Amino acid sequence: MTGPLVPFREIVLKVHSRCDLACDHCYIYEHADQSWRTRPKAISDEAITWTALRLAEHAKNHALPSVSVILHGGEPLLAGPARLRRVCEELTRALDGIAELDLRIHTNGLQLSPRYLDLFAEFDLRVGISLDGDRDANDRHRRFADGRTSHPLVLRAVELLRQERYRHLYLGLLCTVDVANDPVAVYDALAELEPPRIDFLLPHATWDQPPARPDGSPTAYADWLLTVFDRWDSRGRTVPVRLFESVFSTLSGGPSLTESLGLAPTDLVVVETDGALEQVDSLKSAYEGAAATGFDVLRHSFDEVASHPGVRARQLGLASVGDTCRDCPVVRSCGGGLYTHRYRSPDGFDNTSVYCADLEALVRGIEHRIGGELVPLAVTEPGALLADDQDVTRMLSGTLTGELPDRLGDDAVAVWEDAWELLLALDESGDVLDRLWGHPYTRVWLADTLAAVREERPDAPALLHRLPARLAAALVRDGSGPEVRVPCDDGTLRLPAVGDLTLGATGAVSVLPDGDGFLVTARDRPALRIPLDPAEAARVPGWRAVRTIGGRDGVPALRLDDLDPYRDCYDTPAADRLGDDAVAVWDRLLADAWPLLLRAAPRQAAEAAGCLGTLTPLAGPPAGRVPGPRTTAAAAEPGYGGLGLPRPSSPEELAAGLLRGLRHGKLRALTRVGNVHAQDGQWRHPSPWHPEPVPFSVLLAEAYVRVGLAPLEPEGAQGADEALDVLDRAPEPTAAGHRLLAGLRAELDAYRRDGTDRNREERRDPATGEERRG
């Protein structure tokens, strides 16, 4: 087994090994492993003490901020209040000052009383209760040994928990699914009790002992759960249901929220009443001794258990599932199902789940029902993408601000804090802050500054001091605002997206927006007004403006940024400052290229006009290739709306370069804000354009760019259908990713349809209107 050891963050502590019910679906008493018969009824004082010590040792060694301990059985309340108090006291004392302790208890509720709840309130021990629904559903399995119903007693326990003084201890309800029960009646009965959460659990089963399927349907459990989902959804989802929310999370690219689904490594260990350390309890459904490790708390540490081959097998994520599961499109959501449910003798756990068809139908059913609401607007609206991408930059600045007090002294952050206060005061001036966060190289600077602060680099204070200049530049571009003090330690005032001013002296200067220009005031020097008009500004000594190309005859205006110190963030180096003649060449090329782009790809041209604002000349890669952001850790991706290109040799080359760069930039932004795929690199996929399989992101990027470029380079789209088929069947795309792929396929179909219509129109006889043949 390879990979780092995963520490345990959840401990199931068996405080009593017997039960006062005789549920016929219980995996402890009714399934393959019968080791409960040889264990002491109640946990011993020695086992309690050693469990607390081992847990504290484990939490300290792994610097765990918190650990959960679930008191379990059998029926844990049969241990009695005195023993439960001892458990709580020992654990609380051992973890004090080491890690936060989250105490829980899972009970059938029959013994619950104010005496227990007052004890639990003292230790903030929260209570989960097993209840399978209404009386008919609950009585199907959860009865006393003599057949009497347990339902009224369980309802009494829940009502106790719902009282005001105990409600904060109410953890939720656990319901084992039985497809013979009415799913709507079950859900309604549970929801009526206002639980903080409902957990629906598939009954433990294996291929040797498969689950009951009364109608023979391979998706009976999915159908039952989806009926519950529809009821839950129609009632406003007022009660959290962990199973459904876990699927929501994985469909959005997030983690699983339950061990029964997803690829997250197990972080749970069981302590039996005799101190034996075991794997997850559900393994008792597989065979006698399946959960055993041979370790106990008296002689062994939790780290030794974490290294056990059985535990490690459930910590390997994707590597722990077989080939069939590994290549399944829903594996990120189902994770191959609960490990126990894969068991089949004699080949062990190297199988699909006995609920495989159910899990796939459940995930696909939920995505079909609500996939649209999991798709960010940015995936379908370019304007929303631009705003959301700016928010990513804004959040990065907030992260940096939050970390400064702990990493740098007051003097080093004073300039940042002054500028930050001014920025907050301007928060209602959306245009100003949009200019600040929307400049594509602001993100690159913030990422570099955050890295410098975290690495305690000596240049960190100087990088922090660039915030006032960027804020002043945004105000200047807005044409109004307060005066900003800007440090100029190297004697140059740099206003991103505006220009540079060589001062000839170091020290702070004041920048004051002044309509169509701004005033710069340095110590012992008169104020200098710099107009924004290029012709007038050219006469100001020491001033170099960021120039603009386009902006007339329907061509969008683009800043030709050859000054920003963070523009050099592409794989190809940025070009040096351009001469006026070179700028004129760029201007002419753009004027001629834009009509080509507008005619061939009008929708994409309109999108580019709305988002593309900054073009940085590069020193020049091979023609036809648009450099991507650097892959080094020191560099970040530029924000959406920025593009680096070498100077093209023709308008046609520039049109293709703009379109290619727009597609690359848009997909990068979608990946940042849209969560279009997850766990990239875990799989490799065949590509029509590469001899070897490639990661999902590589195949997606190539398909995305090739489809987008098809109006200018039709031959490049060959193989796109094949690539889209592979991408659609892959496990990586989220709900947003599937929406993106559907849009990409529609774009490809529209391009082909438009091309067919155009060809037909070109063959039409202008005199008769009829299509020429041949």
Side-chain angles (χ1 to χ4, degrees):
M1 299 292 177
T2 59
L5 181 146
V6 177
F8 297 120
R9 290 176 170 82
E10 190 168 277
I11 311 300
V12 173
L13 182 58
K14 299 298 192 73
V15 294
H16 203 278
S17 65
R18 304 299 190 269
C19 189
D20 44 4
L21 284 180
C23 307
D24 59 13
H25 60 5
C26 180
Y27 63 90
I28 298 292
Y29 305 110
E30 303 296 331
H31 287 198
D33 190 303
Q34 293 290 300
S35 58
W36 64 274
R37 297 179 183 277
T38 62
R39 301 198 192 278
K41 291 183 178 180
I43 190 170
S44 68
D45 290 347
E46 186 180 28
I48 295 171
T49 299
W50 275 105
T51 299
L53 292 175
R54 296 295 188 190
L55 181 55
E57 172 190 53
H58 193 66
K60 184 176 182 179
N61 288 344
H62 295 280
L64 301 180
S66 64
V67 291
S68 295
V69 178
I70 302 170
L71 307 187
H72 212 279
E75 170 48 48
L77 294 183
L78 292 178
R83 188 152 299 277
L84 293 178
R85 172 176 290 279
R86 182 182 177 94
V87 170
C88 294
E89 288 176 342
E90 292 256 15
L91 289 168
T92 300
R93 183 164 49 248
L95 273 297
D96 185 33
I98 295 176
E100 183 178 342
L101 176 60
D102 173 20
L103 278 171
R104 306 177 183 191
I105 190 168
H106 287 174
T107 171
N108 60 32
L110 303 186
Q111 306 292 326
L112 199 65
S113 67
R115 182 184 181 191
Y116 279 109
L117 290 174
D118 289 339
L119 169 65
F120 298 162
E122 186 178 339
F123 292 95
D124 195 26
L125 189 156
R126 293 179 295 162
V127 183
I129 290 186
S130 296
L131 179 64
D132 288 349
D134 60 330
R135 180 163 181 159
D136 287 344
N138 200 67
D139 283 355
R140 193 177 297 275
H141 301 288
R142 305 187 63 80
R143 290 177 172 272
F144 288 97
D146 60 6
R148 285 179 297 125
T149 178
S150 65
H151 192 256
L153 293 176
V154 182
L155 290 188
R156 186 196 65 179
V158 174
E159 290 306 320
L160 266 178
L161 273 173
R162 293 177 67 191
Q163 292 180 11
E164 185 64 29
R165 61 175 175 160
Y166 298 131
R167 187 162 182 86
H168 66 289
L169 303 177
Y170 191 7
L171 183 61
L173 300 175
L174 294 85
C175 171
T176 300
V177 174
D178 188 325
V179 293
N181 292 327
D182 181 342
V184 172
V186 167
Y187 174 75
D188 286 351
L190 297 176
E192 185 179 350
L193 300 176
E194 300 179 322
R197 187 180 71 198
I198 297 174
D199 274 323
F200 286 105
L201 310 174
L202 293 172
H204 290 315
T206 67
W207 288 102
D208 290 355
Q209 297 291 328
R213 297 185 182 274
D215 62 357
S217 169
T219 60
Y221 289 85
D223 298 340
W224 194 95
L225 286 167
L226 287 171
T227 303
V228 171
F229 182 93
D230 291 338
R231 183 68 165 184
W232 175 70
D233 188 46
S234 68
R235 293 292 182 92
R237 308 180 192 174
T238 53
V239 181
V241 176
R242 185 161 63 168
L243 184 68
F244 301 152
E245 292 182 340
S246 180
V247 176
F248 286 3
S249 176
T250 54
L251 287 176
S252 299
S256 167
L257 307 180
T258 169
E259 188 193 12
S260 61
L261 297 176
L263 293 168
T266 182
D267 59 0
L268 177 149
V269 66
V270 177
V271 182
E272 291 284 356
T273 55
D274 58 358
L277 288 162
E278 295 204 337
Q279 302 177 63
V280 65
D281 250 9
S282 62
L283 286 170
K284 295 180 185 297
S285 299
Y287 57 88
E288 183 77 33
T293 66
F295 300 128
D296 62 69
V297 292
L298 281 67
R299 297 173 298 163
H300 304 99
S301 69
F302 284 159
D303 275 9
E304 290 177 89
V305 186
S307 300
H308 185 276
V311 175
R312 297 287 281 157
R314 292 163 43 243
Q315 294 181 339
L316 298 177
L318 189 63
S320 71
V321 302
D323 291 342
T324 301
C325 289
R326 182 182 175 86
D327 296 332
C328 176
V330 302
V331 68
R332 279 195 311 100
S333 288
C334 82
L338 194 68
Y339 192 73
T340 300
H341 298 166
R342 306 175 201 170
Y343 181 75
R344 187 201 315 255
S345 59
D347 52 345
F349 298 93
D350 189 18
N351 304 287
T352 60
S353 170
V354 73
Y355 291 105
C356 179
D358 293 293
L359 295 174
E360 182 173 5
L362 177 65
V363 173
R364 292 190 183 280
I366 291 176
E367 182 172 11
H368 174 73
R369 285 162 167 78
I370 54 88
E373 72 182 65
L374 302 178
V375 179
L377 192 60
V379 174
T380 56
E381 296 291 338
L385 175 60
L386 195 63
D388 287 355
D389 198 51
Q390 289 180 13
D391 284 342
V392 172
T393 304
R394 190 192 310 265
M395 288 187 287
L396 184 59
S397 70
T399 299
L400 178 55
T401 302
E403 293 195 16
L404 287 179
D406 296 330
R407 297 182 181 272
L408 293 178
D410 294 340
D411 293 341
V413 301
V415 172
W416 175 280
E417 290 178 341
D418 290 344
W420 190 257
E421 287 183 12
L422 177 57
L423 186 151
L424 294 178
L426 294 167
D427 195 38
E428 295 182 2
S429 305
D431 289 346
V432 174
L433 296 188
D434 285 348
R435 288 187 173 92
L436 173 61
W437 308 126
H439 185 50
Y441 304 128
T442 295
R443 174 182 293 125
V444 187
W445 158 68
L446 280 170
D448 187 36
T449 304
L450 182 59
V453 169
R454 288 175 171 172
E455 296 164 10
E456 300 181 357
R457 284 170 19 201
D459 62 339
L463 296 181
L464 289 171
H465 291 178
R466 295 187 178 185
L467 175 60
R470 290 191 171 266
L471 180 56
L475 290 167
V476 166
R477 292 167 59 200
D478 192 58
S480 63
E483 184 177 73
V484 181
R485 295 281 292 172
V486 179
C488 299
D489 297 334
D490 63 354
T492 300
L493 171 65
R494 293 182 174 86
L495 298 178
V498 179
D500 289 354
L501 177 64
T502 301
L503 297 168
T506 60
V509 301
S510 296
V511 176
L512 178 65
D514 181 26
D516 58 355
F518 59 99
L519 298 174
V520 178
T521 306
R523 185 176 58 185
D524 301 329
R525 292 179 58 180
L528 175 65
R529 188 178 190 279
I530 300 178
L532 295 181
D533 179 80
E536 294 180 37
R539 294 192 289 269
V540 177
W543 173 250
R544 299 189 304 170
V546 173
R547 291 155 296 186
T548 301
I549 58 174
R552 60 189 180 279
D553 299 328
V555 179
L558 301 181
R559 285 185 300 274
L560 198 68
D561 197 337
D562 53 5
L563 288 177
D564 194 299
Y566 282 93
R567 74 190 188 281
D568 195 13
C569 59
Y570 300 93
D571 284 338
T572 298
D576 294 332
R577 173 73 170 179
L578 301 184
D580 291 341
D581 290 344
V583 174
V585 171
W586 273 101
D587 188 54
R588 287 194 301 271
L589 285 167
L590 180 61
D592 293 337
W594 193 259
L596 300 176
L597 186 58
L598 193 61
R599 185 166 53 251
R603 183 187 61 79
Q604 295 193 72
E607 188 175 320
C611 71
L612 190 58
T614 300
L615 178 62
T616 291
L618 302 180
R625 184 177 74 85
V626 172
R630 285 186 182 165
T631 56
T632 59
E637 295 178 345
Y640 187 41
L643 174 61
L645 284 178
R647 193 175 85 179
S649 59
S650 66
E652 290 79 8
E653 187 179 315
L654 178 56
L658 287 171
L659 191 49
R660 185 180 291 107
L662 176 69
R663 299 290 284 196
H664 276 297
K666 183 178 179 181
L667 185 58
R668 288 198 300 267
L670 285 169
T671 301
R672 283 193 293 268
V673 308
N675 293 326
V676 296
H677 58 75
Q679 294 184 252
D680 182 48
Q682 295 261 16
W683 294 265
R684 291 290 189 274
H685 304 285
S687 166
W689 309 297
H690 295 275
E692 299 294 332
V694 297
F696 181 90
S697 59
V698 173
L699 185 58
L700 174 62
E702 193 142 17
Y704 193 80
V705 172
R706 285 173 179 269
V707 170
L709 272 170
L712 294 177
E713 300 177 359
E715 67 284 354
Q718 293 177 3
D721 291 294
E722 178 186 343
L724 290 175
D725 287 344
V726 171
L727 291 166
D728 249 337
R729 294 193 300 266
E732 294 95 329
T734 61
H738 284 298
R739 176 64 183 84
L740 177 67
L741 291 170
L744 196 56
R745 197 180 291 276
E747 185 180 0
L748 183 62
D749 291 343
Y751 156 70
R752 288 171 174 160
R753 185 172 58 252
D754 292 345
T756 300
D757 292 344
R758 189 179 301 112
N759 290 337
R760 184 180 296 117
E761 188 63 32
E762 289 173 354
R763 293 195 303 267
R764 196 174 300 279
D765 189 316
T768 64
E770 295 181 357
E771 186 177 338
R772 298 189 186 99
R773 301 296 176 185

